[in-house]
Every structure is written in C-alpha cells, then in structure tokens.
Amino acid sequence: MKQSGKNNRNLQDAYEMLKNAGRVAKFGGWYVLLNENHCYWSDEVSAIHEKPTGFSPKVQDAILFYAPEWRERITALFADCAQKGISYDEELEILTSSGKRVWVRTNGEAVRDENGVIYKVQGGFQEITEQKKVEQKFRELMKRHKTFIDTVPDIIMEVDRSKIYTWGNKAGYEFFGDDVIGKEASYYFEGDQAVYEKVEPLFKGKEDVIYLESYQRRKDGKIRLLAWWCKVYKDTDGNTIGAISSARDITEKKELENSLIKSEEKYRQLVNNAMETIVVAQDGLLKFANPIALSLLEVDSEDDLINKPFITYIHPEDARMVGENYQRRMQLEEVKNDYEFRIVSKKGKLKWVEIHASLFEWEGKRATLNFLTDVTLRKEAEIELKKKVSELQETNSLMVNRELRMIELKKEVNELLKAFGKDEKYEC
C-alpha cells in the first residue's frame, strides 16, 4: 500500500509538472468523441479561450470561436479528419470569450477502434500570438533589408561553397543579368584568373575581408574591371556556407590612373573631368585636389587644401593608420591598398572613404596619386545588415527554441499517458 501511495504521488507530481509546463507554454490538448459531438478541453485550452476549467462546447460552438475568415477552413479540416482520417496541423486565429483575437496552432488526428472505425478526434492546441509577432517582425526586417540593400549602388552578391551565385541585389542583376542566380561565379570571368585561389582562405574559415580585382563580362558582353571585397558567410553554428561580396566597376578609374602615371603633362585636364575624387600628396602635404575632392571635403576652393597636411581631414582614430600607410608607400615598402577610413569634412560631416593610391613623379619628386571613393552609403548598409543579421539570428533562435520545447512537451505528455496505461498521443 505504501508503494502504491508513493506511485500515486509520483503520478500526481508528474501531472502537476505537466500542467505547469502547459501553462507556461500555453499548450494543451483536446478531443472529441464523435458520437457525443462534444469537445473536451484541457485546462490550458479553456484558459486560451478565456473559458472556465471544464468547459465542454459542442463541435459547432467550438468552431464559432475561430475568427470568421478561418471557420470554413477549420470546419473542412475537422470533417476530413473525422471522416477520412486525414491529420492536420494549422495556424489560425480565434476570438476569445472577451473578443480578443489571438493566433493558435491546432493539430488533429483520428483515433480508430479495433475495427478501424474512427470514433474520436484528438489533438494539441497552443497559443502562438507572440511567435506570430516575431514572424511578422522577421518579414518586415527582410523587406526593409531588401529595400535598403537595393538602394546601394555597389554590386552585392552571395555564393555558396561551390561558388554558385545564390543571391544578388538590384545592382548585381543590372550588371550580370536576370539569370545570374544558379550560375557559377567563374562563368563571368574573362580569361584565366586566380580569383578562386585568392578567396580560398574564406572557405577555410578566414574571417578577414579579402580584396581582389577581376575582369568580368557584363550582361551586354562588355568586359569590365571589378573591385571585389569578399567576406565569409557562416550559419548560426559557425559553419562556413558561402561568401558575401560587394563589387564596384573601376574600369574608368584604372584607365585614368594609368593615363596619369604615363602622361603627367595631361593630368590636369583628365583629373578635373574625372568623376572620382583625386588628390595628390607629397611630403605629407596635399598638392592637388580636383573639383570632386572639394565637394567631398566641403571646402570652398583648392586654396583651402593645397600645402595643408593631408591628415587634417582624417578622423583622429584613423589618422595614425593612414599616416603609416602613406609613409610605407613613400618608402617603397609593401602596403595595404584599397582600405577604408573616415574623414571629417570642413563642415564637420563624417564620411567613409576608400582609398586607392599609386606612386608617381610630381615635379621631380615622389608623390602619391590618391583616388578616394565615398563609401558612406555602403558602410551604413553594412552596419544595418549586421544589425539585421543579428536580429534575424535572435529571431531564428527563438523559433528553434520554441519548436524544441514543443517536442519536449509532447514527450512529457506521452510519458504521462504511458504512466496512466494509455496510448501515446504524439509522434516526436
């Protein structure tokens, strides 16, 4: 008798634990004996409907709790389950007793007697309003993400581990064409190139940004030189699944750079008409700036720049890095090129720029020819993208955790049913 009493207490403890779990997860069960035409709800199902414990409505009255636009759907699902044994698992909306609209996930399955005749329909019922809010937030984030990325003038492309294009922004489609997705990146290469060798470290887990230049075929057949910035793309478990790269057409810039280096006497006409920001630095001072440079730095005339330290307009936190790169270049040492830093215009506006520099002779002395590209919009996009990715990863984690909790809860229900000598209800 003592052992029996202990077992009863254990069962009661398990039952209370299961009730608490159901209350926390807002999950319960229900069944309908078809010959009675009544719904039997667990305490939590009654609570979700804002009805008292033990409430047992007729099937047609239970269906009326569903929002009007869902009643035809749930009626058809229940009928198919009761008559044909077709199980269902749906997300629908109900109106509680007080008129509050909430999202629920409901599933049903047929139970047959020893003759194979369906005599009962049973299932689970869970309020998922918060989950639906998360999903809606997810969709809104994705929509804003796409809209924002499509405004960026740079090409942005994603490849999987096989170097197959899996996603691109508007600029990417405009360059490669509408049929780019599904094609291997090398399909667009012009001539033999070592692009794959250069990006291979990414696919081995390296997280640094890799820069490279590659001649590629545009959708109109013209060959263009693209500057690429490539970064590894990982899943939430840290596994490398591909790479995301941004690119910019630098064909004209490269031609201009070559012309300037080869034909110093023609430099002024070329640089003044260029659409790129161009400045010349020598002995740490600015010696020349084209009109686009004046606009970028928000100065009134070239006199505001000439013979002024180039470091004047560089953000204090980036000044040392830029200065060291300049000195190493002037000393013919290996130096990082095509890197980004911040400038502060004369009016105090913070901007991100990317620099591409080359050595050449200016009035008989060594100087640097610097192309500056305003990448503020892209940097803001990257920051926004990182924020979106973080939010999406958090959302994904919430959804995965909810599904795992549901599986555990179903296992607990099955264990409790077995303890009472009944058949398991769920397949886990």
Side-chain angles (χ1 to χ4, degrees):
M1 292 294 293
K2 290 183 179 180
Q3 185 64 35
S4 176
K6 182 178 180 181
N7 288 338
N8 287 336
R9 284 196 303 274
N10 289 339
L11 289 175
Q12 183 63 30
D13 289 343
Y15 178 68
E16 290 299 326
M17 180 178 67
L18 191 58
K19 282 181 63 178
N20 289 333
R23 177 178 54 79
V24 172
K26 296 184 179 180
F27 173 79
W30 61 271
Y31 68 90
V32 173
L33 295 175
L34 298 179
N35 63 344
E36 295 181 4
N37 198 39
H38 265 272
C39 291
Y40 292 91
W41 290 348
S42 69
D43 294 352
E44 189 55 38
V45 174
S46 296
I48 292 171
H49 287 81
E50 296 184 334
K51 299 300 289 185
T53 299
F55 183 72
S56 177
K58 292 182 178 181
V59 172
Q60 57 267 34
D61 293 332
I63 287 175
L64 291 177
F65 276 98
Y66 286 87
E69 65 270 27
W70 296 110
R71 289 171 189 166
E72 183 177 349
R73 176 64 176 164
I74 191 61
T75 299
L77 291 169
F78 182 82
D80 284 343
C81 188
Q83 297 168 14
K84 304 175 184 178
I86 301 174
S87 300
Y88 64 88
D89 189 338
E90 294 280 323
E91 295 180 356
L92 311 168
E93 288 179 285
I94 66 168
L95 297 173
T96 68
S97 183
S98 67
K100 183 172 66 175
R101 182 179 285 258
V102 298
W103 278 95
V104 297
R105 179 181 180 181
T106 179
N107 58 69
E109 60 182 6
V111 181
R112 301 175 186 269
D113 61 20
E114 62 274 12
N115 298 316
V117 177
I118 299 173
Y119 73 95
K120 182 170 74 170
V121 176
Q122 65 184 19
F125 198 87
Q126 183 182 28
E127 182 185 340
I128 58 170
T129 304
E130 290 305 314
Q131 176 196 337
K132 296 299 287 188
K133 289 179 180 178
V134 169
E135 291 175 354
Q136 179 61 30
K137 181 180 179 181
F138 179 87
R139 286 192 292 270
E140 291 173 356
L141 285 173
M142 289 301 294
K143 184 177 179 180
R144 290 201 302 270
H145 163 73
K146 183 179 185 304
T147 300
F148 191 85
I149 293 300
D150 279 345
T151 63
V152 177
D154 288 350
I155 297 168
I156 303 178
M157 303 297 294
E158 177 187 86
V159 296
D160 61 17
R161 288 190 60 86
S162 299
K163 318 297 191 303
I164 303 296
Y165 282 128
T166 56
W167 178 86
N169 70 339
K170 183 178 179 181
Y173 282 106
E174 289 175 349
F175 185 92
F176 293 109
D178 294 336
D179 59 347
V180 61
I181 304 304
K183 285 187 170 63
E184 188 175 348
S186 61
Y187 175 82
Y188 298 93
F189 293 176
E190 178 63 21
D192 295 331
Q193 301 188 47
V195 174
Y196 283 1
E197 289 81 353
K198 291 179 180 178
V199 300
E200 185 59 27
L202 291 178
F203 294 89
K204 293 183 177 179
K206 184 177 180 180
E207 297 193 6
D208 294 342
V209 175
I210 291 180
Y211 173 82
L212 60 91
E213 296 177 2
S214 169
Y215 283 98
Q216 302 203 6
R217 187 173 60 259
R218 200 165 59 186
K219 65 180 181 180
D220 59 5
K222 293 184 178 180
I223 308 304
R224 309 294 294 176
L225 180 61
L226 298 183
W228 288 92
W229 292 263
C230 312
K231 186 170 178 60
V232 70
Y233 181 48
K234 298 183 178 182
D235 61 20
T236 54
D237 295 323
N239 301 312
T240 299
I241 57 177
I244 294 180
S245 306
S246 62
R248 185 178 305 121
D249 190 331
I250 61 169
T251 308
E252 282 78 16
K253 183 173 79 172
K254 183 63 70 172
E255 292 173 352
L256 178 60
E257 178 182 335
N258 292 336
S259 296
L260 283 170
I261 293 173
K262 294 176 181 179
S263 307
E264 182 179 337
E265 68 277 5
K266 298 180 179 179
Y267 80 90
R268 285 194 177 272
Q269 180 180 355
L270 287 169
V271 297
N272 283 329
N273 293 331
M275 296 304 294
E276 294 279 353
T277 299
I278 301 175
V279 296
V280 173
Q282 186 181 68
D283 297 329
L285 304 177
L286 291 170
K287 293 295 183 177
F288 172 82
N290 70 343
I292 300 296
L294 305 186
S295 176
L296 176 70
L297 297 173
E298 296 184 308
V299 297
D300 297 326
S301 69
E302 193 176 354
D303 292 337
D304 293 328
L305 299 176
I306 300 307
N307 292 321
K308 302 291 195 310
F310 67 84
I311 215 75
T312 302
Y313 291 94
I314 298 175
H315 190 283
E317 294 178 5
D318 297 336
R320 180 176 179 179
M321 173 191 67
V322 176
E324 288 178 350
N325 272 277
Y326 171 78
Q327 292 298 333
R328 293 185 64 184
R329 188 182 305 281
M330 294 297 292
Q331 294 168 15
L332 302 179
E333 296 180 14
E334 183 179 349
V335 63
K336 182 179 181 181
N337 209 351
D338 296 288
Y339 61 93
E340 298 167 353
F341 60 90
R342 292 163 291 179
I343 62 171
V344 181
S345 72
K346 186 178 180 180
K347 296 181 180 179
K349 188 173 182 179
L350 180 67
K351 301 179 183 181
W352 279 92
V353 296
E354 172 196 292
I355 185 171
H356 182 87
S358 300
L359 284 174
F360 80 125
E361 292 295 317
W362 174 277
E363 297 177 350
K365 293 178 61 178
R366 187 178 298 159
T368 60
L369 175 65
N370 306 277
F371 290 83
L372 302 178
T373 302
D374 188 342
V375 295
T376 305
L377 186 59
R378 175 163 65 82
K379 291 297 292 187
E380 291 174 348
E382 290 176 357
I383 293 171
E384 184 71 11
L385 180 58
K386 288 180 181 178
K387 180 181 177 182
K388 296 288 188 295
V389 169
S390 177
E391 291 175 340
L392 293 179
Q393 288 177 339
E394 181 180 353
T395 298
N396 179 68
S397 177
L398 289 173
M399 295 175 70
V400 169
N401 289 338
R402 187 193 72 84
E403 291 300 323
L404 291 175
R405 180 60 189 134
M406 285 297 298
I407 292 172
E408 291 300 318
L409 195 57
K410 288 180 179 179
K411 288 180 180 178
E412 291 176 12
V413 171
N414 286 339
E415 290 296 323
L416 186 59
L417 289 172
K418 286 171 61 178
F420 282 104
K422 296 183 179 182
D423 295 334
E424 294 184 0
K425 181 183 271 189
Y426 299 106
E427 294 182 3
C428 298

